[in-house]
Amino acid sequence: MIKDVIVALDFPTREETLSFLDQFPAGSKPFVKIGMELFYAEGPQIVRDIKARGHKIFLDLKLHDIPNTVKRAMAVLSRLDVDMVNLHAAGAGEMMRAALEGLTRSDGTRPLLIAVTQLTSTDAKALKNELLIDVPMAETVLSYAKNAADSGLDGVVCSPLEAALVKERCGADFVTVTPGIRFADSAAGDQKRMMTPEKAGKSGCDLIVVGRPITQAEDPVAAYQRAVTDFLG
Ligand code: C5P
């Protein structure tokens, strides 16, 4: 697995997104994440435009529906030539296997497919009282991750604090994609369980997702380069 830093393009419009990317020198093409806000605002054309500029793209739309619907939606996303997409592991094995089928192009290639286990916004109380899941959070995360691995998925989104455990349960090649990354001197914002890029690099994280510490930095290009250098060591 190639380790890399993914920049979260959490911008509301095409203009803001492209003017952010315009700051990077011609030879520097960060791997980027497009989430629901930008995708729903601008539609699939923003994906094509960013791809045409030479960036790898993680399309973070977290699909969760019946297997046939997810399979057909994944086929559409695969045609956008993105590099990585995701779904909710809560959709269960049949949905995850259908997603893989939909993603696979006629030449046998496909984007990486990763699963969201439990959202980090779900706390222990909501897990027990609302979702009626009566085992500890860490156990459901690892069990959902194992189910994703057994269904043929490539990895999971998880906290950097869980990455090593996920690797232990699902294998060294199972990809860990980890948000919740902060420089030692950057603001936490709403993130609660954080790690520095340097520590993440030594803790089983394959792809770190970094948003505000780069997008809100005074010098975003320098912040990106700092994250890459710290993470890759
Ligand atoms: O700005 P910040 O570095 O916190 O951005 C992290 C990115 O990762 C955001 O796009 C956020 O939605 C996403 N994310 C997260 N925690 C998760 C899943 C996704 O922070 N559990």
Side-chain angles (χ1 to χ4, degrees):
M1 179 71 218
I2 300 168
K3 290 198 164 220
D4 209 346
V5 173
I6 301 180
V7 181
L9 297 178
D10 292 325
F11 297 107
T13 65
R14 172 192 169 80
E15 289 66 36
E16 279 175 75
T17 307
L18 297 186
S19 75
F20 169 77
L21 291 176
D22 282 343
Q23 297 174 74
F24 287 82
S28 173
K29 299 285 178 193
F31 195 150
V32 297
K33 177 171 93 71
I34 296 176
M36 291 186 208
E37 182 186 15
L38 185 59
F39 188 81
Y40 292 151
E42 299 291 350
Q45 192 56 38
I46 189 69
V47 177
R48 295 187 193 100
D49 291 347
I50 292 174
K51 194 73 199 172
R53 287 169 165 241
H55 295 271
K56 287 173 89 172
I57 297 177
F58 167 25
L59 193 53
D60 178 18
L61 299 180
K62 300 186 179 72
L63 276 67
H64 188 180
D65 207 320
I66 59 171
N68 185 57
T69 301
V70 169
K71 177 178 169 179
R72 294 171 73 97
M74 286 294 185
V76 175
L77 300 185
S78 190
R79 288 200 292 275
L80 283 176
D81 198 24
V82 293
D83 299 280
M84 187 159 83
V85 295
N86 60 0
L87 48 65
H88 275 282
E94 193 186 339
M95 188 200 82
M96 292 195 269
R97 290 187 294 276
L100 278 174
E101 262 180 60
L103 271 185
T104 306
R105 306 178 183 114
S106 54
D107 63 359
T109 64
R110 63 167 175 80
L112 289 175
L113 180 60
I114 60 165
V116 174
T117 56
Q118 290 294 346
L119 293 170
T120 44
S121 51
T122 305
D123 61 12
K125 207 169 132 211
L127 192 73
K128 188 171 165 41
N129 299 338
E130 297 181 50
L131 304 184
L132 306 183
I133 295 174
D134 226 349
V135 298
M137 179 66 79
E139 210 176 303
T140 78
V141 168
L142 289 174
S143 167
Y144 280 31
K146 184 69 170 62
N147 200 30
D150 291 346
S151 303
L153 268 68
D154 302 296
V156 284
V157 184
C158 62
S159 148
L161 300 150
E162 291 157 358
L165 277 176
V166 167
K167 294 263 187 199
E168 208 174 278
R169 176 77 66 101
C170 303
D173 292 338
F174 196 61
V175 178
T176 53
V177 181
T178 59
I181 302 294
R182 290 292 179 268
F183 295 117
D185 54 2
S186 57
D190 51 2
Q191 294 285 7
K192 293 193 173 65
R193 301 169 68 222
M194 297 162 292
M195 206 179 261
T196 62
E198 190 180 5
K199 182 131 193 276
K202 296 176 181 139
S203 304
C205 304
D206 295 311
L207 294 164
I208 56 170
V209 177
V210 189
R212 286 160 291 180
I214 292 174
T215 57
Q216 308 298 312
E218 218 165 278
D219 183 345
V221 176
Y224 169 70
Q225 278 156 356
R226 178 183 174 195
V228 171
T229 307
D230 288 1
F231 180 56
L232 299 182

mmCIF file of all heavy atoms in Angstrom, residues 22-45:
data_model
loop_
_atom_site.group_PDB
_atom_site.id
_atom_site.type_symbol
_atom_site.label_atom_id
_atom_site.label_comp_id
_atom_site.label_asym_id
_atom_site.label_seq_id
_atom_site.Cartn_x
_atom_site.Cartn_y
_atom_site.Cartn_z
ATOM 1 N N ASP A 22 -5.419 25.874 -7.126
ATOM 2 C CA ASP A 22 -4.540 26.696 -7.965
ATOM 3 C C ASP A 22 -3.280 27.154 -7.234
ATOM 4 O O ASP A 22 -2.306 27.565 -7.869
ATOM 5 C CB ASP A 22 -5.291 27.951 -8.465
ATOM 6 C CG ASP A 22 -6.220 27.622 -9.618
ATOM 7 O OD1 ASP A 22 -6.045 26.546 -10.228
ATOM 8 O OD2 ASP A 22 -7.137 28.429 -9.897
ATOM 9 N N GLN A 23 -3.307 27.118 -5.892
ATOM 10 C CA GLN A 23 -2.131 27.563 -5.130
ATOM 11 C C GLN A 23 -0.965 26.583 -5.232
ATOM 12 O O GLN A 23 0.174 26.939 -4.977
ATOM 13 C CB GLN A 23 -2.496 27.728 -3.650
ATOM 14 C CG GLN A 23 -3.541 28.800 -3.409
ATOM 15 C CD GLN A 23 -3.948 28.800 -1.947
ATOM 16 O OE1 GLN A 23 -3.203 29.249 -1.092
ATOM 17 N NE2 GLN A 23 -5.120 28.281 -1.664
ATOM 18 N N PHE A 24 -1.289 25.309 -5.601
ATOM 19 C CA PHE A 24 -0.228 24.301 -5.635
ATOM 20 C C PHE A 24 0.582 24.437 -6.922
ATOM 21 O O PHE A 24 0.017 24.672 -7.989
ATOM 22 C CB PHE A 24 -0.835 22.895 -5.516
ATOM 23 C CG PHE A 24 -1.320 22.598 -4.129
ATOM 24 C CD1 PHE A 24 -2.566 23.053 -3.700
ATOM 25 C CD2 PHE A 24 -0.518 21.907 -3.233
ATOM 26 C CE1 PHE A 24 -3.013 22.814 -2.409
ATOM 27 C CE2 PHE A 24 -0.954 21.665 -1.932
ATOM 28 C CZ PHE A 24 -2.207 22.115 -1.521
ATOM 29 N N PRO A 25 1.911 24.297 -6.838
ATOM 30 C CA PRO A 25 2.731 24.403 -8.050
ATOM 31 C C PRO A 25 2.391 23.290 -9.043
ATOM 32 O O PRO A 25 1.857 22.240 -8.646
ATOM 33 C CB PRO A 25 4.161 24.246 -7.522
ATOM 34 C CG PRO A 25 4.059 23.708 -6.153
ATOM 35 C CD PRO A 25 2.698 24.037 -5.629
ATOM 36 N N ALA A 26 2.709 23.519 -10.322
ATOM 37 C CA ALA A 26 2.285 22.604 -11.390
ATOM 38 C C ALA A 26 2.649 21.147 -11.113
ATOM 39 O O ALA A 26 1.876 20.236 -11.398
ATOM 40 C CB ALA A 26 2.883 23.073 -12.704
ATOM 41 N N GLY A 27 3.810 20.905 -10.516
ATOM 42 C CA GLY A 27 4.244 19.516 -10.308
ATOM 43 C C GLY A 27 3.634 18.858 -9.083
ATOM 44 O O GLY A 27 3.821 17.658 -8.863
ATOM 45 N N SER A 28 2.894 19.594 -8.251
ATOM 46 C CA SER A 28 2.367 19.035 -7.001
ATOM 47 C C SER A 28 0.870 18.795 -7.136
ATOM 48 O O SER A 28 0.090 19.729 -7.278
ATOM 49 C CB SER A 28 2.657 20.028 -5.862
ATOM 50 O OG SER A 28 2.027 19.614 -4.675
ATOM 51 N N LYS A 29 0.474 17.533 -7.124
ATOM 52 C CA LYS A 29 -0.931 17.168 -7.316
ATOM 53 C C LYS A 29 -1.398 16.323 -6.128
ATOM 54 O O LYS A 29 -1.346 15.094 -6.171
ATOM 55 C CB LYS A 29 -1.103 16.341 -8.602
ATOM 56 C CG LYS A 29 -0.682 17.063 -9.863
ATOM 57 C CD LYS A 29 -1.706 18.108 -10.251
ATOM 58 C CE LYS A 29 -1.253 18.868 -11.482
ATOM 59 N NZ LYS A 29 -2.060 20.071 -11.707
ATOM 60 N N PRO A 30 -1.820 16.967 -5.030
ATOM 61 C CA PRO A 30 -2.238 16.180 -3.866
ATOM 62 C C PRO A 30 -3.406 15.248 -4.186
ATOM 63 O O PRO A 30 -4.261 15.576 -5.011
ATOM 64 C CB PRO A 30 -2.694 17.242 -2.864
ATOM 65 C CG PRO A 30 -2.172 18.533 -3.341
ATOM 66 C CD PRO A 30 -1.955 18.408 -4.815
ATOM 67 N N PHE A 31 -3.410 14.100 -3.529
ATOM 68 C CA PHE A 31 -4.562 13.179 -3.499
ATOM 69 C C PHE A 31 -5.649 13.961 -2.733
ATOM 70 O O PHE A 31 -5.368 14.511 -1.668
ATOM 71 C CB PHE A 31 -4.140 11.930 -2.729
ATOM 72 C CG PHE A 31 -5.028 10.711 -2.863
ATOM 73 C CD1 PHE A 31 -4.476 9.440 -2.772
ATOM 74 C CD2 PHE A 31 -6.396 10.799 -3.072
ATOM 75 C CE1 PHE A 31 -5.263 8.294 -2.876
ATOM 76 C CE2 PHE A 31 -7.198 9.664 -3.183
ATOM 77 C CZ PHE A 31 -6.627 8.406 -3.081
ATOM 78 N N VAL A 32 -6.869 14.060 -3.274
ATOM 79 C CA VAL A 32 -7.893 14.874 -2.614
ATOM 80 C C VAL A 32 -9.141 14.066 -2.289
ATOM 81 O O VAL A 32 -9.412 13.034 -2.912
ATOM 82 C CB VAL A 32 -8.298 16.102 -3.476
ATOM 83 C CG1 VAL A 32 -7.117 17.041 -3.666
ATOM 84 C CG2 VAL A 32 -8.894 15.681 -4.809
ATOM 85 N N LYS A 33 -9.894 14.549 -1.314
ATOM 86 C CA LYS A 33 -11.176 13.940 -0.944
ATOM 87 C C LYS A 33 -12.303 14.905 -1.290
ATOM 88 O O LYS A 33 -12.271 16.068 -0.892
ATOM 89 C CB LYS A 33 -11.207 13.634 0.551
ATOM 90 C CG LYS A 33 -12.536 13.057 1.026
ATOM 91 C CD LYS A 33 -12.442 12.575 2.455
ATOM 92 C CE LYS A 33 -12.860 13.598 3.488
ATOM 93 N NZ LYS A 33 -14.297 13.891 3.531
ATOM 94 N N ILE A 34 -13.284 14.409 -2.056
ATOM 95 C CA ILE A 34 -14.493 15.193 -2.344
ATOM 96 C C ILE A 34 -15.619 14.563 -1.541
ATOM 97 O O ILE A 34 -15.905 13.367 -1.668
ATOM 98 C CB ILE A 34 -14.816 15.152 -3.855
ATOM 99 C CG1 ILE A 34 -13.683 15.820 -4.653
ATOM 100 C CG2 ILE A 34 -16.162 15.829 -4.144
ATOM 101 C CD1 ILE A 34 -13.853 15.752 -6.166
ATOM 102 N N GLY A 35 -16.270 15.373 -0.721
ATOM 103 C CA GLY A 35 -17.343 14.856 0.129
ATOM 104 C C GLY A 35 -18.711 15.273 -0.371
ATOM 105 O O GLY A 35 -18.862 15.846 -1.457
ATOM 106 N N MET A 36 -19.718 14.989 0.455
ATOM 107 C CA MET A 36 -21.111 15.230 0.063
ATOM 108 C C MET A 36 -21.384 16.691 -0.265
ATOM 109 O O MET A 36 -22.118 16.992 -1.199
ATOM 110 C CB MET A 36 -22.054 14.807 1.176
ATOM 111 C CG MET A 36 -22.109 13.323 1.388
ATOM 112 S SD MET A 36 -23.393 13.000 2.624
ATOM 113 C CE MET A 36 -22.777 11.502 3.346
ATOM 114 N N GLU A 37 -20.830 17.612 0.534
ATOM 115 C CA GLU A 37 -21.169 19.027 0.352
ATOM 116 C C GLU A 37 -20.817 19.504 -1.061
ATOM 117 O O GLU A 37 -21.661 20.033 -1.786
ATOM 118 C CB GLU A 37 -20.433 19.881 1.388
ATOM 119 C CG GLU A 37 -20.780 21.365 1.288
ATOM 120 C CD GLU A 37 -19.934 22.242 2.219
ATOM 121 O OE1 GLU A 37 -18.906 21.776 2.726
ATOM 122 O OE2 GLU A 37 -20.320 23.407 2.408
ATOM 123 N N LEU A 38 -19.567 19.268 -1.444
ATOM 124 C CA LEU A 38 -19.117 19.731 -2.763
ATOM 125 C C LEU A 38 -19.785 18.942 -3.885
ATOM 126 O O LEU A 38 -20.208 19.509 -4.901
ATOM 127 C CB LEU A 38 -17.581 19.613 -2.844
ATOM 128 C CG LEU A 38 -16.931 20.150 -4.102
ATOM 129 C CD1 LEU A 38 -17.230 21.640 -4.307
ATOM 130 C CD2 LEU A 38 -15.404 19.932 -4.061
ATOM 131 N N PHE A 39 -19.929 17.627 -3.690
ATOM 132 C CA PHE A 39 -20.517 16.797 -4.752
ATOM 133 C C PHE A 39 -21.989 17.161 -4.974
ATOM 134 O O PHE A 39 -22.439 17.299 -6.110
ATOM 135 C CB PHE A 39 -20.380 15.313 -4.395
ATOM 136 C CG PHE A 39 -20.789 14.401 -5.526
ATOM 137 C CD1 PHE A 39 -19.922 14.127 -6.580
ATOM 138 C CD2 PHE A 39 -22.045 13.815 -5.544
ATOM 139 C CE1 PHE A 39 -20.293 13.296 -7.630
ATOM 140 C CE2 PHE A 39 -22.430 12.980 -6.595
ATOM 141 C CZ PHE A 39 -21.553 12.718 -7.636
ATOM 142 N N TYR A 40 -22.728 17.351 -3.888
ATOM 143 C CA TYR A 40 -24.152 17.680 -4.047
ATOM 144 C C TYR A 40 -24.334 19.105 -4.584
ATOM 145 O O TYR A 40 -25.320 19.412 -5.263
ATOM 146 C CB TYR A 40 -24.910 17.501 -2.731
ATOM 147 C CG TYR A 40 -25.034 16.056 -2.279
ATOM 148 C CD1 TYR A 40 -25.123 15.736 -0.928
ATOM 149 C CD2 TYR A 40 -25.061 15.006 -3.191
ATOM 150 C CE1 TYR A 40 -25.244 14.420 -0.503
ATOM 151 C CE2 TYR A 40 -25.174 13.687 -2.780
ATOM 152 C CZ TYR A 40 -25.268 13.404 -1.434
ATOM 153 O OH TYR A 40 -25.376 12.101 -1.028
ATOM 154 N N ALA A 41 -23.383 19.982 -4.288
ATOM 155 C CA ALA A 41 -23.498 21.358 -4.792
ATOM 156 C C ALA A 41 -23.148 21.444 -6.272
ATOM 157 O O ALA A 41 -23.805 22.158 -7.030
ATOM 158 C CB ALA A 41 -22.575 22.279 -3.990
ATOM 159 N N GLU A 42 -22.134 20.727 -6.677
ATOM 160 C CA GLU A 42 -21.587 20.931 -8.028
ATOM 161 C C GLU A 42 -21.812 19.749 -8.969
ATOM 162 O O GLU A 42 -21.572 19.874 -10.174
ATOM 163 C CB GLU A 42 -20.083 21.245 -7.943
ATOM 164 C CG GLU A 42 -19.754 22.508 -7.153
ATOM 165 C CD GLU A 42 -20.209 23.790 -7.855
ATOM 166 O OE1 GLU A 42 -20.601 23.724 -9.030
ATOM 167 O OE2 GLU A 42 -20.172 24.854 -7.206
ATOM 168 N N GLY A 43 -22.199 18.600 -8.421
ATOM 169 C CA GLY A 43 -22.467 17.444 -9.287
ATOM 170 C C GLY A 43 -21.207 16.780 -9.802
ATOM 171 O O GLY A 43 -20.086 17.185 -9.463
ATOM 172 N N PRO A 44 -21.373 15.746 -10.650
ATOM 173 C CA PRO A 44 -20.227 14.948 -11.098
ATOM 174 C C PRO A 44 -19.193 15.723 -11.913
ATOM 175 O O PRO A 44 -18.047 15.304 -12.008
ATOM 176 C CB PRO A 44 -20.859 13.835 -11.945
ATOM 177 C CG PRO A 44 -22.270 14.214 -12.142
ATOM 178 C CD PRO A 44 -22.653 15.188 -11.096
ATOM 179 N N GLN A 45 -19.577 16.885 -12.457
ATOM 180 C CA GLN A 45 -18.604 17.629 -13.287
ATOM 181 C C GLN A 45 -17.394 18.086 -12.467
ATOM 182 O O GLN A 45 -16.281 18.128 -12.983
ATOM 183 C CB GLN A 45 -19.306 18.825 -13.961
ATOM 184 C CG GLN A 45 -18.468 19.469 -15.055
ATOM 185 C CD GLN A 45 -18.021 18.480 -16.154
ATOM 186 O OE1 GLN A 45 -18.773 17.591 -16.546
ATOM 187 N NE2 GLN A 45 -16.779 18.614 -16.610
#
